[in-house]
Amino acid sequence: MLDLTNVRNIGISAHIDSGKTTLSERILFYTGRIHAIHEVRGKDGVGAKMDSMDLEREKGITIQSAATFCQWGDLSINLIDTPGHVDFTVEVERALRVLDGAVLVLCSVAGVQSQSITVDRQMRRYNVPRVAFINKVDRAGANPDRVSEQLADKLGHNPAFVTYPIGLEEKLNGIIDLIEMKAVYFDGESGEDLRREEIPADLMDKAKELRHRLIEVAADYNDSLMEKFLMDQPVESAELISAIRKGTLDLKMTPVFCGSAIKNKGVQLLLDGVGLFLPSPSDIQNEALDQDNNEAKIMLESDSTKPLVMLAFKLEDGRYGQLTYMRIYQGSITKGDNIINVVNGKKVKVPRLARMHSAEMNEIDTAGCGDIVAMFGVDCASGDTFTDGKVRYSMTSMFVPEPVIELAVSPKEKTGLSNFSKALNRFTKEDPTFRVTRDDESGETIIKGMGELHLEIYIERIKREYATEIIVGRPKVAFREAISQPANFNYTHKKQTGGSGQFARVGGSVEPLPLDAVENYEFVDDIVGGVIPREYIPACDKGFREAIVEGSLIGQKVVGIRVTIDDGSFHAVDSSEMAFKLASIMAFREAYAKAKPVILEPIMKLEVSAPEEFQGTVIGQINQRRGVIMGTDNDALSKYVTVEAEVPLSEMFGYSTDIRSVTQGKGEFSMEFKKYSVIPKNLQEEMVKEYQKKRLEENK
């Protein structure tokens, strides 16, 4: 059985275009998994190994996270390359849920960008230790020192260089190893031959200063190192490595590596760092909930002899049928074993077991604790827990953000309906942020997602993979409704139609929750003295939940609301669950009208990067779109400006064309959901008028 201390489950995460996939390609080459390097947008037309989808190769972006495994000396590495585009953020979310460590890739010119902040937040959500790799130090304007400062200022990290470039931009020659205090040069056609020499004299002072800083940061995690640091005594490499590892695993420090993946410099030292500083499965505490003991928390053991516990974290409908990616947290599994889905109790026999190498599969007979494997013929949902039946534990699932944009779609030809349905069923199963609903009034199929690109990719996939042409409606923003002040209700529901009637009275209040509240709806039961019998309380809750599905302003979901019931009355014969549910629905409508309802719109965090001469135009464009400028950052070296703003999503359609045209194609932007905010009054009045007009026409 594999020595768990030599296993690393790592993810590579970054802002779009920081060079994640290029770095993954080099890792596969140096570990011997591939024998030729292909670039993301290479002229050979092959594309990077980890970008297996045609669309990924055409657009030069990663859409789906890709898993692979490789060997680096004694290390067995399970590697997941994740997308950098915010629209595919759930791919990063689910990868980080099952990984033990991560490499945060940063561009040495652009530094910490909006999506770097997002992936860092995701890493913190799952307590994932990370090392940073400052890539592209060969580019004009490269400044690793500035990026390290941004790691501290923008992300709150405690960074310290472990490697540092010898020369920048086109003068990049090699990398300084600050632990061993050696200069490392990368010879051979693809930088595969390492040559270690003395550090160049002109860089010795800088190297000593950086090593001093590294020891200073690491000394906090090792008392004897702290003593040596204070006494200015020499420090052994092994002692320094041990302290850095402890600081990294405790999420207290971030070792920083530098290099250029495209120029084949620095990647092998990063691989050494993955082994030295990132955790093995046995270093991580994983929790499960015992379903047989009121969901009591259980600490799982990284032991292949214990009962099996594994999590399905990603589904893919590939050419081999449905593929389910699993992370084994405890126990082991062999082909032919029976496993049980804790969610629905279904027993499944494992027909085939494989390790994935991007789109290729390598069949295996058995897998142990800490492994990431793929299985066939296992019907489940993303986030389901499987065991061998000896225990009934379930793992907590991943965080899934709410979609913010929707489109009406339909197949062009009636004959394409079957394929259209198949595609939508498959994609909703694979991607929890892709939702499909039917508009009962118009009969249209509505798809919802995280952004324009997200939905555009799925529409393109339906055309290509299912040979079905699609008619696409105009994009619509997912507006919400809320109340702006508290209001009381006291509603009596009475109906008498021969025999037993219906009677229920509910009294109480509604009040707004803070806009950043975790829950969108709270129900408070303050009933005393049995004025509403206990058995009818859930019916009241159900009624309010039904009522908030559709607000009266524009027919959108009501969010951020607390409903308190503290009064009521019942009739011994005429009261029923149905009566209290109906009374609650009507009571909510009564209170909602008095609570000054407002429309909320999704606000996006926008980051635009463009040459300095276009700064005024870029800011003017954002202001025209009701944007609020949050800050600007001018980089004197690259002569580029970065503008951060908050802009309503409804104003952002067509922005990609506009920004390119006003910056001569040099402007880039990224956008992610930030919050919901109240829409201006004049726009609210217009939207309400339009909605009422539409309702009148439908009722004619």
Side-chain angles (χ1 to χ4, degrees):
M1 197 56 86
L2 203 61
D3 178 1
L4 266 190
T5 57
N6 286 333
V7 173
R8 298 289 180 274
N9 291 316
I10 64 163
I12 296 190
S13 301
H15 186 90
I16 194 164
D17 269 349
S18 297
K20 293 179 315 302
T21 304
T22 306
L23 177 61
S24 302
E25 194 77 356
R26 296 311 184 271
I27 289 173
L28 294 181
F29 178 74
Y30 296 131
T31 55
R33 287 297 286 137
I34 57 173
H35 304 292
I37 292 170
H38 298 289
E39 303 307 344
V40 174
R41 294 184 177 94
K43 293 189 174 91
D44 57 8
V46 177
K49 178 74 194 173
M50 300 298 271
D51 283 346
S52 58
M53 200 190 285
D54 288 344
L55 265 172
E56 292 180 310
R57 290 176 176 174
E58 282 170 32
K59 289 184 179 282
I61 61 168
T62 302
I63 292 166
Q64 290 187 329
S65 52
T68 187
F69 62 98
C70 53
Q71 202 76 23
W72 180 247
D74 293 335
L75 271 194
S76 292
I77 301 172
N78 288 311
L79 175 78
I80 297 184
D81 172 28
T82 62
H85 199 288
V86 68
D87 285 12
F88 308 103
T89 194
V90 75
E91 290 286 334
V92 186
E93 199 77 47
R94 57 175 152 210
L96 291 172
R97 170 65 185 84
V98 298
L99 292 170
D100 303 323
V103 178
L104 176 63
V105 183
L106 300 156
C107 169
S108 69
V109 181
V112 171
Q113 295 166 276
S114 59
Q115 189 65 2
S116 323
I117 296 167
T118 303
V119 294
D120 181 70
R121 194 167 61 237
Q122 290 169 318
M123 287 173 191
R124 286 177 198 273
R125 186 179 287 137
Y126 301 110
N127 295 321
V128 177
R130 81 286 268 175
V131 298
F133 181 68
I134 299 177
N135 193 20
K136 303 190 179 185
V137 291
D138 60 306
R139 270 185 61 187
N143 188 345
D145 294 295
R146 188 176 70 98
V147 180
S148 177
E149 282 167 23
Q150 288 181 343
L151 269 171
D153 298 342
K154 289 190 172 184
L155 299 181
H157 284 216
N158 187 9
F161 284 106
V162 176
T163 70
Y164 196 78
I166 300 170
L168 289 172
E169 303 178 352
E170 74 279 359
K171 292 177 185 159
L172 175 69
N173 288 322
I175 302 288
I176 298 171
D177 178 345
L178 294 165
I179 292 175
E180 302 295 342
M181 283 301 272
K182 289 284 181 193
V184 184
Y185 298 96
F186 303 84
D187 300 334
E189 197 184 322
S190 303
E192 62 269 40
D193 302 322
L194 269 62
R195 174 167 50 89
R196 290 175 187 270
E197 291 188 2
E198 293 308 310
I199 296 169
D202 61 328
L203 280 171
M204 187 50 98
D205 287 347
K206 175 78 174 173
K208 282 180 179 171
E209 180 199 317
L210 290 172
R211 192 173 201 265
H212 184 77
R213 157 80 185 154
L214 178 61
I215 296 168
E216 182 187 2
V217 172
D220 284 342
Y221 315 105
N222 183 307
D223 291 344
S224 94
L225 188 63
M226 177 62 85
E227 209 170 293
K228 285 181 180 177
F229 173 71
L230 294 171
M231 306 290 287
D232 215 6
Q233 292 173 349
V235 172
E236 295 294 315
S237 299
E239 197 173 12
L240 181 53
I241 287 166
S242 164
I244 296 170
R245 179 176 177 80
K246 182 163 190 334
T248 308
L249 296 194
D250 291 349
L251 305 180
K252 297 280 172 57
M253 77 171 281
T254 305
V256 179
F257 293 80
C258 296
S260 166
I262 200 128
K263 289 284 166 40
N264 309 313
K265 286 179 172 59
V267 178
Q268 294 96 320
L269 298 180
L270 173 67
L271 279 166
D272 290 339
V274 164
L276 292 173
F277 308 128
L278 289 181
S280 71
S282 49
D283 292 319
I284 297 289
Q285 296 272 301
N286 288 302
E287 271 182 3
L289 305 173
D290 188 347
Q291 298 302 309
D292 291 333
N293 185 17
N294 288 329
E295 297 204 338
K297 284 184 180 174
I298 301 283
M299 296 316 295
L300 297 176
E301 293 178 54
S302 296
D303 186 340
S304 291
T305 61
K306 296 278 179 190
L308 173 74
V309 180
M310 61 184 182
L311 179 76
F313 68 95
K314 177 173 159 69
L315 310 180
E316 212 175 86
D317 209 342
R319 58 174 183 252
Y320 307 112
Q322 186 182 302
L323 198 56
T324 306
Y325 286 80
M326 302 271 198
R327 159 75 199 259
I328 304 171
Y329 285 95
Q330 183 178 282
S332 61
I333 190 166
T334 304
K335 197 160 78 170
D337 280 357
N338 285 319
I339 55 172
I340 289 167
N341 186 335
V342 176
V343 176
N344 55 25
K346 280 185 185 170
K347 188 188 273 191
V348 187
K349 191 170 187 166
V350 179
R352 288 165 83 189
L353 203 54
R355 273 209 177 91
M356 296 307 291
H357 177 39
S358 189
E360 293 169 19
M361 54 174 263
N362 296 266
E363 295 226 16
I364 52 173
D365 292 326
T366 185
C369 176
D371 270 336
I372 290 175
V373 293
M375 292 180 196
F376 295 93
V378 177
D379 187 24
C380 66
S382 195
D384 285 0
T385 306
F386 285 83
T387 69
D388 52 11
K390 292 177 187 163
V391 289
R392 277 187 71 235
Y393 296 166
S394 73
M395 307 286 295
T396 53
S397 195
M398 68 217 75
F399 170 79
V400 178
E402 283 292 309
V404 292
I405 187 169
E406 54 187 62
L407 284 175
V409 289
S410 60
K412 212 170 193 176
E413 311 288 336
K414 281 259 167 65
T415 49
L417 201 57
S418 164
N419 277 356
F420 177 68
S421 301
K422 270 186 207 162
L424 294 183
N425 283 336
R426 171 190 160 186
F427 297 148
T428 46
K429 220 173 181 189
E430 286 180 8
D431 180 353
T433 59
F434 179 73
R435 315 269 173 91
V436 180
T437 56
R438 188 176 165 78
D439 187 320
D440 293 333
E441 288 165 7
S442 63
E444 291 175 319
T445 301
I446 308 290
I447 58 172
K448 300 180 183 181
M450 300 308 296
E452 280 185 280
L453 180 67
H454 189 208
L455 297 183
E456 192 185 298
I457 292 288
Y458 278 118
I459 288 161
E460 190 60 36
R461 286 183 68 187
I462 295 171
K463 287 178 188 173
R464 291 184 186 202
E465 294 169 35
Y466 290 87
T468 304
E469 284 297 316
I470 300 292
I471 298 167
V472 181
R474 277 193 53 139
K476 277 196 342 207
V477 171
F479 290 102
R480 295 282 179 263
E481 294 186 30
I483 57 172
S484 58
Q485 64 178 41
N488 295 326
F489 57 81
N490 185 357
Y491 186 83
T492 306
H493 172 70
K494 223 188 243 181
K495 207 173 180 187
Q496 200 68 47
T497 49
S500 65
Q502 286 183 6
F503 179 86
R505 182 174 75 82
V506 285
S509 62
V510 293
E511 61 184 308
L513 289 170
L515 278 178
D516 56 356
V518 177
E519 294 297 325
N520 272 323
Y521 164 78
E522 271 183 30
F523 176 71
V524 181
D525 168 18
D526 275 350
I527 293 293
V528 286
V531 289
I532 297 178
R534 301 268 25 112
E535 66 264 31
Y536 296 140
I537 302 292
C540 295
D541 182 18
K542 205 173 173 186
F544 289 120
R545 280 181 191 274
E546 264 185 44
I548 64 169
V549 168
E550 204 176 291
S552 58
L553 293 180
I554 54 167
Q556 293 293 339
K557 189 176 177 183
V558 180
V559 295
I561 196 159
R562 180 186 286 124
V563 179
T564 305
I565 55 167
D566 54 19
D567 192 15
S569 51
F570 71 103
H571 187 278
V573 178
D574 291 351
S575 285
S576 64
E577 282 188 15
M578 179 56 80
F580 274 98
K581 185 178 134 181
L582 291 170
S584 300
I585 291 172
M586 298 313 290
F588 177 81
R589 288 179 187 166
E590 176 191 283
Y592 190 64
K594 294 188 285 188
K596 292 210 171 149
V598 289
I599 297 171
L600 303 179
E601 61 180 342
I603 301 293
M604 309 304 279
K605 181 180 166 194
L606 174 72
E607 190 174 279
V608 187
S609 176
E612 279 179 345
E613 68 257 36
F614 301 115
Q615 181 171 342
T617 318
V618 167
I619 289 173
Q621 236 187 18
I622 293 169
N623 289 333
Q624 279 173 0
R625 292 171 181 265
R626 292 198 287 124
V628 178
I629 307 294
M630 306 307 284
T632 57
D633 182 15
N634 292 66
D635 185 0
L637 272 171
S638 64
K639 298 261 188 296
Y640 260 66
V641 64
T642 301
V643 180
E644 285 182 16
E646 289 181 4
V647 194
L649 175 61
S650 57
E651 303 286 345
M652 290 306 289
F653 298 123
Y655 183 65
S656 53
T657 312
D658 287 359
I659 188 72
R660 283 190 199 110
S661 63
V662 299
T663 60
Q664 296 167 11
K666 293 171 189 164
E668 290 178 349
F669 78 97
S670 67
M671 191 169 69
E672 65 172 306
F673 172 70
K674 176 85 192 287
K675 62 183 181 185
Y676 269 99
S677 191
V678 177
I679 204 165
K681 204 167 181 196
N682 60 324
L683 287 177
Q684 173 160 323
E685 285 166 6
E686 268 175 48
M687 287 175 74
V688 171
K689 218 176 270 177
E690 209 171 293
Y691 175 70
Q692 286 169 348
K693 189 177 157 191
K694 188 178 150 201
R695 291 299 296 262
L696 273 172
E697 283 167 7
E698 280 164 5
N699 292 331
K700 272 180 188 174

